[in-house]
Amino acid sequence: GAVVSQHPSRVICKSGTSVKIECRSLDFQATTMFWYRQFPKQSLMLMATSNEGSKATYEQGVEKDKFLINHASLTLSTLTVTSAHPEDSSFYICSARDLLAGSEKLFFGSGTQLSVL
Amino acid sequence: AQRVTQPEKLLSVFKGAPVELKCNYSYSGSPELFWYVQYSRQRLQLLLRHISRESIKGFTADLNKGETSFHLKKPFAQEEDSAMYYCALGGGGSEKLVFGKGTKLTVNP
């Protein structure tokens, strides 16, 4: 089946630094990818919808200047957490839709655990 | 606004017992409901969707619009069913999904 690769799986950084997370669709093209955030024992919260070749659509309350999204190709979307702070520590998950597999089917990356010291 | 409620954070049953994971939703439009599962140390994956009306790994879920529910059921739970289960809501032509908080199912031997 379709695979979404997310890298890195875990990152620890100092406060004030920026962290980039990559999400790749390995064997299919994804015009749209989604970025979620999950706090411990909480649900996945959609942060933004990443659109290939255009600006991302952010959910209410998500700072677009804080969480930069780039979707430069049909197989790669990146999320950059700029000037990270401890409150940004969370589990970030991306997902992509394989259009050929049917519009309902979302494939998820394995997630990135971000810890900001 | 779209909202998904999974009232049980934890659910524990014995092997061979029936299991039901509850999911209620709130949505003014035509809903699309999904169940996702996350096994230990694995990524989230689709278990089933109401549109296809299929049974996967013995699990079924029926969309009840009157009760705004999409409960996940299995008549005889297996130990390998132990996992985190998320109910998700989409709809209105949007690709976005809203997830419930999840229910951790533990099937004891």
Side-chain angles (χ1 to χ4, degrees):
Chain A
V3 175
V4 173
S5 173
Q6 189 173 340
H7 179 80
S9 59
R10 187 176 185 89
V11 58
I12 301 172
C13 69
K14 292 182 179 180
S15 184
T17 60
S18 294
V19 175
K20 179 185 282 188
I21 304 170
E22 292 188 349
C23 181
R24 294 180 184 272
S25 56
L26 294 187
D27 51 4
F28 67 98
Q29 294 182 332
T31 54
T32 305
M33 292 186 177
F34 304 90
W35 287 96
Y36 292 86
R37 171 176 194 175
Q38 185 178 30
F39 291 103
K41 300 182 181 180
Q42 299 294 318
S43 183
L44 286 82
M45 299 283 293
L46 179 65
M47 298 175 64
T49 302
S50 173
N51 304 298
E52 186 268 335
S54 63
K55 292 182 179 180
T57 304
Y58 289 83
E59 294 300 301
Q60 193 172 14
V62 177
E63 300 176 60
K64 60 180 69 176
D65 294 330
K66 175 75 171 174
F67 300 99
L68 299 180
I69 290 174
N70 185 284
H71 194 154
S73 76
L74 286 172
T75 58
L76 174 65
S77 174
T78 60
L79 169 68
T80 301
V81 183
T82 62
S83 187
H85 290 280
E87 56 266 30
D88 298 326
S89 298
S90 186
F91 192 62
Y92 294 85
I93 306 174
C94 71
S95 69
R97 195 182 300 276
D98 182 354
L99 295 177
L100 294 180
S103 60
E104 308 92 1
K105 200 144 190 175
L106 271 180
F107 296 92
F108 286 81
S110 53
T112 298
Q113 182 64 54
L114 171 63
S115 299
V116 184
L117 306 177
Chain B
Q2 294 171 258
R3 189 164 58 244
V4 176
T5 303
Q6 291 180 252
E8 304 141 326
K9 287 186 179 180
L10 303 170
L11 183 61
S12 183
V13 300
F14 286 103
K15 177 183 174 181
V19 63
E20 180 180 70
L21 290 85
K22 291 184 169 55
C23 172
N24 289 90
Y25 67 91
S26 174
Y27 182 54
S28 57
S30 182
E32 296 177 28
L33 276 300
F34 308 82
W35 276 100
Y36 283 83
V37 60
Q38 187 170 27
Y39 300 103
S40 179
R41 299 182 184 176
Q42 294 186 30
R43 66 190 66 197
L44 204 63
Q45 57 184 294
L46 179 66
L47 180 62
L48 55 79
R49 48 201 166 181
H50 92 270
I51 292 176
S52 56
R53 300 185 64 82
E54 57 197 345
S55 172
I56 304 294
K57 300 184 179 182
F59 284 98
T60 59
D62 290 318
L63 177 61
N64 187 321
K65 291 187 177 181
E67 296 182 358
T68 59
S69 68
F70 189 58
H71 303 328
L72 183 67
K73 301 177 183 179
K74 185 169 183 176
F76 307 104
Q78 303 298 315
E79 290 181 65
E80 54 265 30
D81 295 329
S82 296
M84 195 75 183
Y85 291 82
Y86 293 93
C87 182
L89 167 68
S94 171
E95 297 179 288
K96 298 191 300 186
L97 288 182
V98 173
F99 285 82
K101 291 188 176 182
T103 298
K104 184 175 181 180
L105 173 65
T106 302
V107 182
N108 299 299

